[in-house]
Amino acid sequence: MTTEKPGLRERTRQAVRTQLMAVAWGLFVEQGYDATTVDEIAAAVGMSQRSFFRYFSSKEDVVLVKFEAVGAMLADVLANRPAEEDAWTALRRAFDVIVGPTERDPRHGLVLLRITSQAPALRARVLEEQTNWQELLAPLVARRMQQPAGGDLGPTALTAAALACLVVANAAWLRVDGTEPLAGFLDDAMRTVRPGAF
């Protein structure tokens, strides 16, 4: 079965969205989320505010698209972890897709966490997106646990617990302004739930 490649128009649209996101995040890092306007983002790539809204419905969507992409990456990484890994370890290793880039360039991770912790509307949307992550990951955890997807609470509970550890680790990392490794906070949180893990 072959997957149809996106047409030129869709590839162009994705390229423009990617450019807008890159410019927007540069501005968020430089001058703060609240201080950055849609007009500024649009002007920085040479387009009008009206054109911006052809690609994103709001400034908030520029942030939320990141969460959608991360959910898909987490699922892909988890699906490809070694079969012999237990589910908890596989989830921890899948989270490296977040931890690695965040530790290499803490500025973007810190800005993202500050934005999503301070803006009530975004905070609610991020919680919704993290529920989507759980729905993506739980069937993969069920398969790893050799249980039918949706047939047992165990895989969903395990996935929810791992994601909660990620939230706790992110909050701790934000409190120290990224001066300590996020990986350490995440390992500590996940070992608290599962002593002796990895």
Side-chain angles (χ1 to χ4, degrees):
M1 181 179 172
T2 57
T3 304
E4 188 177 337
K5 293 182 179 178
L8 178 60
R9 180 175 293 182
E10 182 57 27
R11 291 199 306 274
T12 302
R13 176 180 170 76
Q14 289 302 326
V16 173
R17 278 171 63 90
T18 299
Q19 183 184 16
L20 279 167
M21 284 179 63
V23 166
W25 278 98
L27 289 170
F28 296 160
V29 168
E30 181 184 328
Q31 60 190 36
Y33 175 78
D34 288 332
T36 301
T37 66
V38 167
D39 280 339
E40 286 177 301
I41 298 167
V45 295
M47 67 169 56
S48 66
Q49 183 192 78
R50 186 174 178 179
S51 294
F52 172 93
F53 289 120
R54 291 189 191 127
Y55 299 95
F56 292 99
S57 61
S58 65
K59 185 173 72 169
E60 289 81 4
D61 277 352
V62 177
V63 177
L64 294 167
V65 163
K66 271 189 176 287
F67 283 87
E68 292 172 14
V70 168
M73 285 190 293
L74 281 171
D76 185 56
V77 172
L78 181 60
N80 289 290
R81 292 300 305 169
E84 65 273 13
E85 266 182 356
D86 66 272
W88 194 248
T89 301
L91 281 163
R92 170 60 190 88
R93 296 279 65 90
F95 291 156
D96 283 337
V97 78
I98 297 170
V99 172
T102 299
E103 290 190 340
R104 281 194 297 276
D105 186 357
R107 296 173 308 152
H108 284 257
L110 289 168
V111 168
L112 178 61
L113 290 174
R114 287 190 191 109
I115 290 169
T116 54
S117 65
Q118 291 168 5
L122 269 178
R123 193 161 56 238
R125 295 277 301 275
V126 166
L127 286 173
E128 182 183 327
E129 195 56 49
Q130 287 174 337
T131 300
N132 293 338
W133 290 6
Q134 181 178 305
E135 290 171 0
L136 282 172
L137 300 178
L140 299 170
V141 169
R143 191 181 312 155
R144 193 167 288 270
M145 295 172 70
Q146 299 183 335
Q147 295 184 14
D152 188 272
L153 293 178
T156 301
L158 196 73
T159 304
L163 289 169
C165 288
L166 180 62
V167 169
V168 167
N170 278 332
W173 186 71
L174 181 59
R175 279 196 300 274
V176 300
D177 205 32
T179 57
E180 297 177 36
L182 174 58
F185 288 121
L186 182 55
D187 287 342
D188 288 347
M190 293 186 75
R191 286 192 191 113
T192 299
V193 176
R194 281 257 175 129
F198 37 84

